[in-house]
Amino acid sequence: MEAWYLVCYEPGKEKLYRAQLSLSLKNITVFCPMLRTWRPRTDCNGVRPFIEPLFRGYLFAYLDPEVIHPSRIEEECSGVSKFVRYGQEIKPLPASVMETLMALPACADERDVVPKAAKQEKAAQRPYRPPRKRKQRMSNPSPLQSVLYDKISRIVSTDNEMQRTAMFLALTKSFHDHTGHPGNR
């Protein structure tokens, strides 16, 4: 049965693109949420925007492991390191987690994570502009989706990328620890 799985890619932005391309050439749908962050400029005072993966080192692949075995993907897909395993086996992510991740505002349009010091510097350098309209949350979310949306929003708002990734991995592990399988909760 087709489901979303968590896949590690080899370090480096070019490896992310290579992994996405090699997976898509095998007709596997890939999702890698991105986030716009701000970093200090080294050549002058100020900050520079960066687009980076929300969870560095990880992407999501939608596939049926009975049609194309994960070990084959790990061996044949350039840029792909391995599937995330819980115990000795890969397990699908809950559909509600993926729906929630995909419902988050797009990073380039509506989501900025700017460190507080960078916000103050940036504000001093440009004229005031009114805040952008935020994308409305999911329409008619279930209680579980509301809780997931809040948890994932907290993860997304974390500035430290390593902490953000660790928080997400802990969240996914908790699904498998409590039930043994994620189901479609």
Side-chain angles (χ1 to χ4, degrees):
M1 183 171 82
E2 286 186 318
W4 286 101
Y5 294 88
L6 193 56
V7 177
C8 295
Y9 62 88
E10 297 169 2
K13 189 178 268 185
E14 71 282 347
K15 300 288 181 146
L16 167 62
Y17 300 137
R18 190 174 297 152
Q20 289 176 314
L21 177 62
S22 61
L23 288 167
S24 65
L25 289 173
K26 292 198 177 288
N27 293 323
I28 296 171
T29 302
V30 179
F31 175 59
C32 184
M34 304 299 270
L35 178 72
R36 182 177 9 183
T37 61
W38 300 88
R39 296 185 187 155
R41 293 182 65 120
T42 56
D43 58 344
C44 65
N45 290 337
V47 293
R48 176 188 326 227
F50 279 87
I51 303 292
E52 64 186 23
L54 182 59
F55 308 115
R56 185 175 299 278
Y58 298 91
L59 55 89
F60 303 92
Y62 188 74
L63 64 114
D64 184 346
E66 293 179 12
V67 173
I68 182 165
H69 198 272
S71 62
R72 187 171 150 213
I73 293 170
E74 292 169 341
E75 292 169 4
E76 296 176 5
C77 289
S78 178
V80 171
S81 175
K82 62 185 176 187
F83 278 81
V84 173
R85 287 176 167 72
Y86 300 92
Q88 295 295 323
E89 61 186 271
I90 68 164
K91 294 184 181 178
L93 292 167
S96 56
V97 170
M98 295 309 299
E99 290 168 7
T100 304
L101 275 173
M102 291 179 174
L104 291 172
C107 71
D109 296 332
E110 303 182 41
R111 180 78 181 109
D112 291 334
V113 176
V114 182
K116 289 179 183 171
K119 277 184 185 177
Q120 292 168 350
E121 286 177 28
K122 192 176 172 190
Q125 294 174 359
R126 65 172 161 73
Y128 172 78
R129 70 173 183 213
R132 293 185 214 165
K133 289 184 178 180
R134 293 283 180 192
K135 184 175 180 178
Q136 199 170 18
R137 285 178 59 151
M138 294 176 277
S139 58
N140 301 323
S142 70
L144 175 65
Q145 284 176 319
S146 292
V147 169
L148 279 173
Y149 189 92
D150 291 340
K151 285 182 179 183
I152 291 174
S153 293
R154 275 192 301 253
I155 292 170
V156 170
S157 65
T158 301
D159 289 338
N160 183 301
E161 64 186 333
M162 298 297 279
Q163 185 179 8
R164 198 170 48 232
T165 301
M167 290 168 69
F168 181 73
L169 290 174
L171 177 67
T172 60
K173 187 175 182 329
S174 71
F175 297 121
H176 300 291
D177 287 347
H178 294 306
T179 64
H181 61 84
N184 284 332
R185 300 192 262 153

